Amino acid sequence: MNHEAPMYEFLGLNFNLANVLMITVASVIVFIIAVLSTRRLAMKPTGMQNFMEWVMDFVKGIINSSMDWKTGGRFHVLGITIIMYIFVSNMLGLPFSISYDGVLWWKSPTADPTVTLTLAAMIIGLSHYYGVKLRGVGAYGKEFFKPFWFMFPIKIIEEFANTLTLGLRLYGNIYAGEILLGLLAGGLATGVGGTIAAIIPTLAWQGFSVFVGAIQSFIFTMLTMVYLSHKVSSDH
């Protein structure tokens, strides 16, 4: 439970090598899934192509619930990437964790607040970028002073609050799940009696954790599209 993180200092900055490893692993897995799903496209999809088309339709539904497709269609690939990447990241630490010499190397990258808050900050920053790009600096800037000019400080605080809630919600759910799995796994190693008592709760919680991981990837993608729609749609 109390494992240290493998830290490495470079140019005065500290890097968590476990996070770097797991982020890379998650990215490679998503890339492989995308390649396998699209390398042999057919008019009647089967197998992996059928799965990818389902994901595309699912994300399209999320976008359509937040904004019109003419505006939101440009975010389709972004939504597909986010939902697949976060789901894969949530699942990586579910079956097992790997530690060596008291250092934890294998876990879900989304079980670290640095990773989830970085993702959240990127999304919020991207929403501002597209708000300015699609609406112009003047029209976009005026939104921070509506309906009254004194709302400006509150709306600035709201941007920071959105970043924190978006990142910490994902982190809290995944981290708590891995903590409980670690406790249950400890019961499996306490002898025959402990193994029998812990095996059913462990399997049940793993199944529930798959559900939680899927829900959190959906929520993160949904909120991403909501934040983007608030910035790029003139009727918000």
Side-chain angles (χ1 to χ4, degrees), residues 22-109:
M22 299 314 300
I23 289 172
T24 303
V25 170
S27 301
V28 170
I29 291 175
V30 172
F31 177 77
I32 291 174
I33 292 174
V35 171
L36 293 178
S37 302
T38 57
R39 65 175 181 170
R40 293 181 180 177
L41 298 178
M43 293 299 295
K44 294 183 178 181
T46 58
M48 292 293 292
Q49 182 185 342
N50 196 39
F51 165 76
M52 181 58 69
E53 292 196 8
W54 176 82
V55 174
M56 294 176 66
D57 289 339
F58 184 75
V59 173
K60 185 177 181 179
I62 294 176
I63 295 173
N64 285 331
S65 68
S66 304
M67 66 191 100
D68 63 280
W69 183 249
K70 182 179 179 181
T71 302
R74 71 189 76 234
F75 307 123
H76 195 200
V77 175
L78 172 65
I80 294 170
T81 304
I82 290 174
I83 199 169
M84 291 182 62
Y85 179 80
I86 292 181
F87 178 75
V88 170
S89 296
N90 293 347
M91 296 299 105
L92 287 179
L94 180 59
F96 55 82
S97 62
I98 298 177
S99 60
Y100 177 75
D101 196 22
V103 176
L104 181 62
W105 285 94
W106 187 280
K107 61 174 184 176
S108 294

Side-chain angles (χ1 to χ4, degrees), residues 126-149:
L126 195 63
S127 70
H128 290 295
Y129 167 77
Y130 275 105
V132 173
K133 180 180 179 180
L134 298 180
R135 302 182 61 190
V137 177
Y140 179 72
K142 289 179 181 178
E143 292 295 325
F144 287 88
F145 298 92
K146 292 181 179 180
F148 306 105
W149 65 268

Side-chain angles (χ1 to χ4, degrees), residues 7 16 37-38 44-45 59 71 82 91 98 102 109 119 132 154 157 164 190 192 196 202 206 209 221 227 231-232:
M7 305 302 296
N16 187 329
S37 302
T38 57
K44 294 183 178 181
V59 173
T71 302
I82 290 174
M91 296 299 105
I98 298 177
L119 287 171
V132 173
I154 297 176
I157 294 174
L164 288 175
T190 57
V192 177
I196 295 174
T202 299
Q206 282 189 327
S209 294
T221 306
Y227 294 152
K231 303 302 182 186
V232 302

